């Protein structure tokens, strides 16, 4: 069993159903496969927000993103992304700078 939750983003009903039988795998169903950088970034933001809302991901923590390979993608298939929210005196957001709320 993984010690952290794994959110599986998929457009496949079969893959989503398979996740339900495994510990710590949480399916996040999307309507269609991710196509292009902008669509992928939008989906990622929705998934991370959903993870915080459902208490699977602590706000402000780091997510490791692993995605399938797509020829048109210009970004890596494995990268880290900070989850939006507040944690340990840091305000984190997708388009915000980090700052220490005690010193500002």
């Amino acid at each position: 069993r993984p010690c952290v939750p794994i959110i599986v983003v998929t457009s496949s009903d079969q893959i989503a159903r398979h996740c339900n039988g495994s510990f710590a795998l949480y399916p996040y169903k999307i309507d269609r496969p991710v196509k292009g950088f902008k669509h992928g970034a939008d989906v990622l933001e929705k998934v991370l927000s959903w993870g915080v809302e459902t208490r699977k991901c602590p706000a402000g923590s780091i997510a490791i993103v692993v995605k399938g390979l797509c020829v048109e993608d210009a970004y890596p298939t494995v990268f880290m992304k900070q989850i939006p929210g507040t944690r340990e005196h840091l305000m984190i957001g997708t388009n915000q700078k980090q700052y220490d709320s005690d010193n500002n």
Side-chain angles (χ1 to χ4, degrees):
R1 295 183 189 187
C3 60
V4 296
I6 299 169
I7 299 173
V8 178
V9 179
T10 183
S11 59
S12 165
D13 290 329
Q14 182 180 6
I15 291 173
R17 280 192 306 272
H18 178 74
C19 292
N20 290 327
S22 300
F23 290 105
L25 291 181
Y26 299 97
Y28 184 93
K29 184 87 170 40
I30 56 177
D31 296 334
R32 59 188 171 93
V34 172
K35 196 99 166 151
F37 180 80
K38 171 110 174 67
H39 183 220
D42 291 344
V43 169
L44 180 58
E45 292 306 315
K46 288 177 186 174
V47 170
L48 294 179
S49 294
W50 175 80
V52 172
E53 290 168 11
T54 58
R55 302 186 72 177
K56 291 172 180 41
C57 305
S61 59
I62 299 292
I64 305 297
V65 179
V66 181
K67 63 173 218 46
L69 184 60
C70 181
V71 175
E72 66 191 39
D73 288 342
Y75 57 97
T77 57
V78 178
F79 58 95
M80 294 181 0
K81 172 84 174 156
Q82 194 143 28
I83 298 172
T86 304
R87 183 175 179 185
E88 297 176 15
H89 306 294
L90 290 178
M91 297 294 292
I92 313 290
T94 53
N95 294 320
Q96 299 171 356
K97 294 182 180 178
Q98 295 183 21
Y99 66 93
D100 184 338
S101 59
D102 291 336
N103 293 324
N104 290 331

